[in-house]
Each structure stands twice: as C-alpha cells, then as structure tokens.
Amino acid sequence: MKQVSIGDRRFTLTAVERAGQWVAHAVRDDNGDRFGIECAGASATEAIGRLTAWLEWQHEHTSALEALQRAEQEYHRTIAGSAFADPTEGPSPLELQKESLGAVEAARVRLDEVRARRPH
C-alpha cells in the first residue's frame, strides 16, 4: 500500500496478486471511492508505479482540458462582446478575436500533447 498526492487529491494505492500478476488500484482518500483504472505489473512496485504514472497523466489531462474549455468560453465572450465594442478605443474587435482564438489554439495544442503522452 502507498499513499500519493496528485494535484489537490490524495490516493491510497493498493496492489494485489492475481494469478501470478500484480494489479494495482487507487482509492480516493476524501471519499473512499475507487478512482481510475487498474494497472498490472510483474511486481507490486511495478503495478503501483504504472498506476501512479497514469494518475499523474490523468491530472495533467484534466487540467489541460479545463484550460481549453476556459479558453473557448473566453473566446465566445469575446465574440459576443465584439458586437458592442467601440472600435475607436483600445484594440479592435478583430484583434481581440484573433488573440482569443490564438489562446484557444494554444490550449488545444497543449491538450493534444498531453493526450499523446498517455501511459499504456
């Protein structure tokens, strides 16, 4: 058994032997619920290591997805607000839209990078 903190969550990781193979699972410390996937390995240490890597990736993936969603929401607010913007003050509505769309694209690229590193 091993306890880990990932992001703002704590997990207890446990590995059990099944038919000569070790299988690890995570339990959230805050509510006692199982979380995520099971990971197998030749030893308890290997199985828990794989599970820890997956939990870290899952946290990073969730953060990247949330960042993309926030960027998309901001883009939609920018588009809606552009209808009421005064073109003589500050950046033009088109400039604001381009900047906001650039943030969406950067967040999408980041999410794709995280997804490409998914542990197997």
Side-chain angles (χ1 to χ4, degrees), residues 3-112:
Q3 291 196 318
V4 297
S5 292
I6 298 173
D8 60 351
R9 289 197 177 148
R10 289 192 48 77
F11 299 94
T12 299
L13 310 183
T14 305
V16 295
E17 189 175 9
R18 291 188 199 153
Q21 187 173 31
W22 288 87
V23 179
H25 68 272
V27 174
R28 287 179 44 174
D29 287 355
D30 62 339
N31 62 13
D33 290 345
R34 276 191 168 207
F35 180 82
I37 63 172
E38 289 186 338
C39 290
S43 67
T45 302
E46 182 181 336
I48 287 175
R50 286 182 176 173
L51 181 57
T52 301
W54 184 87
L55 289 167
E56 289 168 346
W57 174 84
Q58 178 62 28
H59 174 70
E60 187 177 9
H61 179 262
T62 298
S63 296
L65 181 57
E66 289 170 352
L68 175 59
Q69 291 168 339
R70 283 191 304 274
E72 289 173 335
Q73 290 168 353
E74 182 60 33
Y75 174 72
H76 291 292
R77 281 192 293 273
T78 299
I79 295 295
S82 294
F84 306 104
D86 183 352
T88 62
E89 293 182 18
S92 74
L94 184 57
E95 291 170 325
L96 292 173
Q97 290 173 16
K98 278 182 150 182
E99 182 180 319
S100 187
L101 189 57
V104 170
E105 180 60 15
R108 186 198 60 76
V109 167
R110 169 81 176 117
L111 180 59
D112 287 346

